[in-house]
C-alpha cells in the first residue's frame, strides 16, 4: 500500500526531553497529529495512511505515512508537509523531513518542493542523481 509513498518525519532529540515540560510537548504534538489525521483536518486527498510515534532512546519521532509520493503527487505531498508544519506549530528551524520509500522517487525537482529533504538510507543522493540527469 505504501511502497510508492513515503513519510513526513519530525524528531525531538532526547536532550530536549530531559524536562517533564518537554515530554508534555511531545505528548501534545502526538495528540494534535492524531486528532488532525483522524478528523480529516489535513487535506490529503486520501494519501495519508497512518501516523506513528516512535520512542527511541535518543529521540521521539512523529511520522505521517503517505501512500504515494511520486511525480504525480508532489504538490499534495508538499501541501501535507506545509499543513503539518502549521498544525504542529513548528518553528522555521525545526526539521520536517519527507523520506520516500523507494529510490525511484528521488527526483531532484521533487526534492526541491519540500521544506527539508532527507535521503533514504543506503540510497543514491540527490546530488548524484542531478549529475545523472544532467
Amino acid at each position: 500500500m505504501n511502497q510508492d509513498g513515503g513519510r513526513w518525519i519530525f524528531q525531538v532529540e532526547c536532550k530536549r526531553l530531559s524536562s517533564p515540560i518537554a515530554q508534555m510537548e511531545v505528548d501534545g504534538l502526538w495528540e494534535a497529529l492524531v486528532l488532525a489525521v483522524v478528523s480529516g483536518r489535513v487535506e490529503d486527498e486520501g494519501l495519508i495512511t497512518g501516523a506513528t510515534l516512535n520512542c527511541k532512546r535518543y529521540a521521539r519521532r512523529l511520522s505521517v505515512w503517505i501512500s504515494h509520493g511520486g511525480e504525480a503527487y508532489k504538490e499534495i505531498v508538499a501541501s501535507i508537509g506545509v499543513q503539518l508544519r502549521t498544525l504542529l506549530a513548528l518553528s522555521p528551524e525545526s526539521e520536517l523531513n519527507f523520506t520516500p520509500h523507494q529510490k525511484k522517487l528521488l527526483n531532484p525537482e521533487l526534492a526541491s518542493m519540500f521544506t527539508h529533504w532527507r535521503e533514504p538510507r543506503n540510497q543514491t543522493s540527490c546530488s548524484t542523481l542531478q549529475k545523472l540527469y544532467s
Side-chain angles (χ1 to χ4, degrees), residues 11-19 22-23 55-60:
Q11 185 165 288
V12 179
E13 303 296 328
C14 272
K15 57 187 168 190
R16 287 197 50 223
L17 294 172
S18 57
S19 74
Q23 186 58 51
C55 297
K56 303 285 187 182
R57 192 168 17 123
Y58 58 89
R60 302 297 181 264

Side-chain angles (χ1 to χ4, degrees), residues 74-86:
K74 67 181 180 183
E75 289 179 17
I76 189 63
V77 171
S79 169
I80 291 169
V82 170
Q83 292 175 71
L84 291 174
R85 181 171 287 285
T86 302

Side-chain angles (χ1 to χ4, degrees), residues 5-9 69-70 74 77-78 85 95-120 123-127 129:
R7 61 188 172 146
W8 281 104
I9 302 170
K74 67 181 180 183
V77 171
R85 181 171 287 285
E95 286 192 30
L96 179 62
N97 301 301
F98 182 78
T99 303
H101 296 314
Q102 292 189 14
K103 183 175 163 179
K104 70 179 182 181
L105 298 176
L106 275 177
N107 178 326
E109 183 181 324
L110 179 63
S112 69
M113 294 287 296
F114 302 115
T115 310
H116 291 280
W117 181 265
R118 183 170 59 188
E119 318 281 331
Q123 303 274 340
T124 306
S125 71
C126 281
S127 58
L129 285 174

